């Protein structure tokens, strides 16, 4: 391979790399957007169904822990899209957990009011 062929090969690789890098940079932001949309759908379904499902609450708490770990990791790796995704997810999951707890408390109060107390002996 002569010097001209080497220069042409390097120019080809250099011009292809920015295209690949710019494409790869879109993936985290797209994934972040999809994740956030998924959380909003989850929150909408919670609101629509007035859910007090224990599994939903457990899911929220486990996801909050997981997202906290992802935030720590992404800060260490200096990964802004992942920090943004995890921060947004924690906020939405925290709001969802509060909503589920609020519904559980309301449901419990309703049940206490509708169940008559036994007469004293």
């Amino acid at each position: 391979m002569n010097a001209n062929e080497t220069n042409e090969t390097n120019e080809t690789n250099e011009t292809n790399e920015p295209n690949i890098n710019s494409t790869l940079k879109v993936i985290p932001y797209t994934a972040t957007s999809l994740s956030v949309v998924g959380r909003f759908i989850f929150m909408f379904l919670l609101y629509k169904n007035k859910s007090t499902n224990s599994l939903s609450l457990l899911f929220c708490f486990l996801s909050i822990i997981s997202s906290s770990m992802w935030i720590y990791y992404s800060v260490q790796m200096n990964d802004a899209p992942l920090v943004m995704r995890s921060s947004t997810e924690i906020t939405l999951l925290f709001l969802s957990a509060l909503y589920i707890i609020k519904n559980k408390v309301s449901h419990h109060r309703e049940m206490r009011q509708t169940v008559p107390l036994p007469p004293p002996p």
Side-chain angles (χ1 to χ4, degrees):
M1 193 182 269
N2 65 32
N4 288 338
E5 289 176 0
T6 304
N7 286 340
E8 288 176 12
T9 304
N10 287 341
E11 288 175 12
T12 303
N13 286 341
E14 289 174 9
T15 58
N16 286 338
E17 285 182 24
N19 291 337
I20 292 171
N21 286 336
S22 64
T23 302
L24 287 177
K25 288 180 182 178
V26 171
I27 291 173
Y29 291 101
T30 303
T32 297
S33 300
L34 291 173
S35 178
V36 170
V37 167
R39 288 293 162 238
F40 276 114
I41 291 170
F42 175 75
M43 291 176 71
F44 173 75
L45 292 174
L46 281 175
Y47 176 76
K48 181 181 173 191
N49 297 330
K50 305 284 187 225
S51 176
T52 58
N53 187 344
S54 295
L55 291 177
S56 296
L57 189 57
L58 178 62
F59 169 77
C60 284
F61 287 136
L62 290 175
S63 295
I64 288 170
I65 292 168
S66 171
S67 291
S68 299
M69 294 170 79
W70 277 113
I71 285 177
Y72 176 78
Y73 172 78
S74 55
V75 166
Q76 297 302 314
M77 299 303 289
N78 199 22
D79 187 347
L82 194 53
V83 170
M84 183 176 62
R85 175 206 173 269
S86 299
S87 300
T88 303
E89 186 170 0
I90 283 179
T91 303
L92 296 175
L93 286 165
F94 183 73
L95 292 173
S96 297
L98 287 177
Y99 184 75
I100 292 169
I101 292 169
K102 177 186 153 287
N103 283 343
K104 281 185 174 284
V105 169
S106 295
H107 181 72
H108 182 69
R109 284 185 183 152
E110 288 175 11
M111 294 303 292
R112 287 185 65 197
Q113 290 176 354
T114 58
V115 176
L117 294 173

